[in-house]
Amino acid sequence: MEVVITPDYEEMSKFAAGMIARQVKDKPGAVLGLATGSTPLGVYRELIRMHGEEGLDFSKLITFNLDEYLGLPPAHPQSYHYFMWENLFKHVNIDPGNVYIPGGITADVEEFCRWYEAEINKAGGIDLQLLGIGGDGHIAFNEPGSSLGSRTRVKTLVLQTIKDNSRFFEREEDIPRFAVTMGVGTILEAKKILLIAGGEKKALVCADFIEGPVTSQVTASALQLHRQVTVVLDEAAASRLKRKEYYNWIRDNKHLVRKYLGS
Ligand code: PGA
């Protein structure tokens, strides 16, 4: 796991957007896994800027989102469909036919989940998966206790997630209790993974998933089993890490790392 500590949210967002832009330039038809939440907003702003000012081309990209609240129609202002169109897709030249987001309203949710996994495979698998992390250590909506081999399915949200997300809803009781989410096993099949986290409130959980044991109680810790993960943090989110010096040395000596490790 490569851990990159940046001074603030702005720099974290620019670093992560730079990695995504490199992926898109290297492979214009790349398959991106995308995330919602407040953390990726800066990354999406930077990608929109790159599209407008530098011609970053989204026309051949295929995207798969991680999750959606069960029961919310795409037009609902708190749905993740709405979030993605408002905060990224409507500002860039993506082909709407290439956008996949789990359905909040489907007649047969199990069948839908099987279809979603099959579409990811048909597209050739995810080249780069962007992730945030929940206060309880979840990636996508894989709440504590989720199987580390789980696939796309319906998940019951835990109370902390419901509280964390209450800021987006008028009343706590309006927040859906269930979500359709890619599983931890689905996420681990992405070729590369990029997790971003910012702020003091993520400091403990970042120390847990990066430097603690692999456990289904902190599903992000499963990323320790993946071969190509970059974690980009701001100083506040990195403040509880024990091995900060080591991560910073690697960041500052990239030329040597490249010389000996080749990437
Ligand atoms: P946040 O959510 O980016 O709004 O903190 C992250 C998550 O729950 O995955």
Side-chain angles (χ1 to χ4, degrees):
M1 210 186 262
E2 181 184 16
V3 180
V4 179
I5 302 168
T6 56
D8 53 30
Y9 178 80
E10 214 46 44
E11 292 301 317
M12 177 200 79
S13 302
K14 283 192 181 144
F15 189 98
M19 273 186 68
I20 295 171
R22 230 170 298 129
Q23 172 70 67
V24 175
K25 285 178 197 157
D26 286 353
K27 185 178 171 188
V31 181
L32 292 184
L34 297 177
T36 51
S38 47
T39 314
L41 284 172
V43 175
Y44 295 154
R45 272 196 296 271
E46 180 63 8
L47 289 174
I48 293 165
R49 188 199 64 74
M50 287 175 172
H51 171 69
E53 293 176 15
E54 298 165 16
L56 186 66
D57 183 16
F58 288 71
S59 64
K60 295 193 178 65
L61 276 186
I62 302 175
T63 65
F64 285 90
N65 263 78
L66 288 168
D67 45 17
E68 177 60 285
Y69 290 117
L70 197 64
L72 292 196
H76 191 289
Q78 298 310 332
S79 76
Y80 288 167
H81 278 78
Y82 191 88
F83 176 100
M84 287 308 301
W85 282 98
E86 280 305 300
N87 293 301
L88 179 62
F89 296 147
K90 79 175 190 190
H91 306 283
V92 296
N93 63 334
I94 195 140
D95 174 352
N98 287 345
V99 170
Y100 293 80
I101 305 174
I105 307 255
T106 72
D108 182 343
V109 73
E110 271 185 43
E111 179 51 33
F112 177 85
C113 293
R114 274 194 293 276
W115 174 83
Y116 202 69
E117 293 260 342
E119 289 303 303
I120 295 174
N121 285 332
K122 248 206 270 175
I126 291 170
D127 291 300
L128 177 62
Q129 174 68 59
L130 176 66
L131 296 175
I133 182 169
D136 61 2
H138 69 212
I139 44 175
F141 270 134
N142 293 289
E143 300 288 30
S146 292
S147 159
L148 301 186
S150 51
R151 314 299 311 185
T152 303
R153 70 208 184 291
V154 173
K155 189 73 201 166
T156 311
L157 304 181
V158 301
L159 213 56
Q160 184 177 345
T161 300
I162 291 167
K163 287 211 168 98
D164 287 350
N165 292 350
S166 61
R167 66 191 191 279
F168 301 116
F169 290 82
E170 264 173 32
R171 298 173 312 171
E172 202 171 299
E173 56 268 35
D174 292 339
I175 307 172
R177 292 253 156 188
F178 301 93
V180 182
T181 179
M182 274 190 210
V184 180
T186 321
I187 293 169
L188 289 179
E189 280 171 13
K191 290 166 196 127
K192 280 174 280 176
I193 294 178
L194 166 60
L195 185 147
I196 52 174
E200 175 63 35
K201 65 181 192 306
K202 298 282 171 75
L204 262 181
V205 81
C206 285
D208 280 350
F209 95 87
I210 297 168
E211 296 177 338
V214 174
T215 166
S216 66
Q217 298 309 305
V218 181
T219 55
S221 67
L223 299 179
Q224 293 177 27
L225 301 171
H226 192 281
R227 292 170 60 175
Q228 226 178 322
V229 177
T230 304
V231 179
V232 189
L233 306 175
D234 68 5
E235 279 287 352
S239 59
R240 305 296 280 260
L241 293 174
K242 292 196 187 81
R243 283 145 50 77
K244 256 165 86 173
E245 245 176 68
Y246 177 71
Y247 310 134
N248 287 340
W249 190 91
I250 291 173
R251 182 198 59 203
D252 297 338
N253 292 276
K254 260 279 149 94
H255 57 292
L256 280 179
V257 176
R258 281 205 193 97
K259 183 170 160 198
Y260 295 115
L261 303 182
S263 68

